[in-house]
Amino acid sequence: GAGVSQSPRYKVAKRGQDVALRCDPISGHVSLFWYQQALGQGPEFLTYFQNEAQLDKSGLPSDRFFAERPEGSVSTLKIQRTQQEDSAVYLCASSQDRGPSQPQHFGDGTRLSIL
Amino acid sequence: AQKVTQAQTEISVVEKEDVTLDCVYETRDTTYYLFWYKQPPSGELVFLIRRNSFDEQNEISGRYSWNFQKSTSSFNFTITASQVVDSAVYFCALSEAESGHSTLTFGKGTMLLVSP
């Protein structure tokens, strides 16, 4: 399809395991964002890419979280040594350009549950 | 720091009623952008509208209308003649020009339940 695609849709992992979440943005979109959405809350910013450059990672909660976008298209969010508080929906969004006025287009998210 | 407040956690209405969702924001930037997104049960956030800080004209799109008032830092959203399909969580969000990119600060959302 033409929208933002995220996989897997659901992920269950045991505490301490590493997980990798994938985002395939809309083709040609320069900007890519990751957000974390806890139950009953609004999405919270994690990190931002402009093409392959990670320009802002101020929202990553700890050094267990790592994101990359090596070719300026697909992005992966990796969480190492998962903990229960990492349980949330992880949303990926892309926008055509980099300016603050650009509306973001979101994927369906990956619902991560840590047991 | 920027902040978005949606004081209404949940609103329940009966079909055909009008409903207004409130949004109040805080920012020190003089140039900023306000957005509304809809999140149905499927989870995907759907973009509804963008408004920049220099344009205080109200906007109407079908049954949807938005009232932006800089004096009260509010950007409220009204659905006229609500329908069951309007049931969703609605988020108000803010991005600031100073950031150089469109990172969004979201409110906590308002869940709208429209019953037949």
Side-chain angles (χ1 to χ4, degrees):
Chain A
V4 177
S5 177
Q6 291 188 246
S7 60
R9 189 80 171 90
Y10 302 93
K11 177 69 179 177
V12 179
K14 291 183 179 178
R15 188 162 55 96
Q17 287 183 332
D18 298 347
V19 298
L21 313 180
R22 176 189 167 105
C23 172
D24 206 335
I26 294 173
S27 178
H29 276 198
V30 168
S31 297
L32 185 144
F33 301 81
W34 284 98
Y35 292 85
Q36 180 190 59
Q37 186 176 19
L39 190 64
Q41 302 294 314
E44 293 193 355
F45 170 74
L46 293 176
T47 188
Y48 161 66
F49 289 86
Q50 183 182 320
N51 295 308
E52 69 279 3
Q54 188 175 21
L55 298 186
D56 189 344
K57 53 182 181 178
S58 61
L60 296 177
S62 78
D63 58 8
R64 297 185 296 104
F65 287 70
F66 171 76
E68 60 183 3
R69 192 187 185 198
E71 295 178 1
S73 178
V74 171
S75 176
T76 304
L77 176 67
K78 297 178 180 177
I79 309 174
Q80 297 177 324
R81 305 181 304 281
T82 53
Q83 300 179 6
Q84 285 192 322
E85 61 261 31
D86 300 334
S87 296
V89 175
Y90 290 85
L91 294 166
C92 177
S94 68
S95 63
Q96 190 167 10
D97 206 341
R98 63 179 181 87
S101 66
Q102 293 293 311
Q104 295 178 25
H105 302 271
F106 285 81
D108 288 341
T110 294
R111 185 177 295 276
L112 177 63
S113 299
I114 305 300
L115 305 178
Chain B
Q2 65 271 30
K3 184 179 177 182
V4 176
T5 302
Q6 295 180 255
Q8 305 149 308
T9 304
E10 185 174 317
I11 301 175
S12 293
V13 299
V14 178
E15 219 172 8
K16 297 184 184 174
E17 282 185 25
D18 299 346
V19 58
T20 295
L21 310 180
D22 297 334
C23 172
V24 173
Y25 62 91
E26 294 175 30
T27 177
R28 280 183 244 176
D29 219 348
T30 54
T31 303
Y32 52 89
Y33 300 86
L34 295 163
F35 300 80
W36 276 94
Y37 282 84
K38 174 182 180 180
Q39 189 174 43
S42 61
E44 180 182 353
L45 280 155
V46 178
F47 166 71
L48 295 178
I49 191 171
R50 173 193 60 209
R51 182 54 97 218
N52 75 56
S53 53
F54 297 107
D55 182 1
E56 287 194 69
Q57 275 192 348
N58 291 332
E59 183 159 337
I60 298 175
S61 176
R63 297 184 297 107
Y64 295 171
S65 62
W66 291 269
N67 183 356
F68 175 33
Q69 291 196 341
K70 244 173 145 172
S71 61
T72 56
S73 298
S74 66
F75 185 43
N76 296 337
F77 173 28
T78 298
I79 302 174
T80 303
S82 59
Q83 299 177 359
V84 172
V85 293
D86 296 328
S87 297
V89 181
Y90 291 85
F91 291 96
C92 181
L94 166 74
S95 71
E96 296 175 319
E98 193 177 292
S99 71
H101 53 76
S102 56
T103 294
L104 294 169
T105 298
F106 285 88
K108 291 189 175 183
T110 298
M111 179 178 289
L112 175 63
L113 300 171
V114 183
S115 54

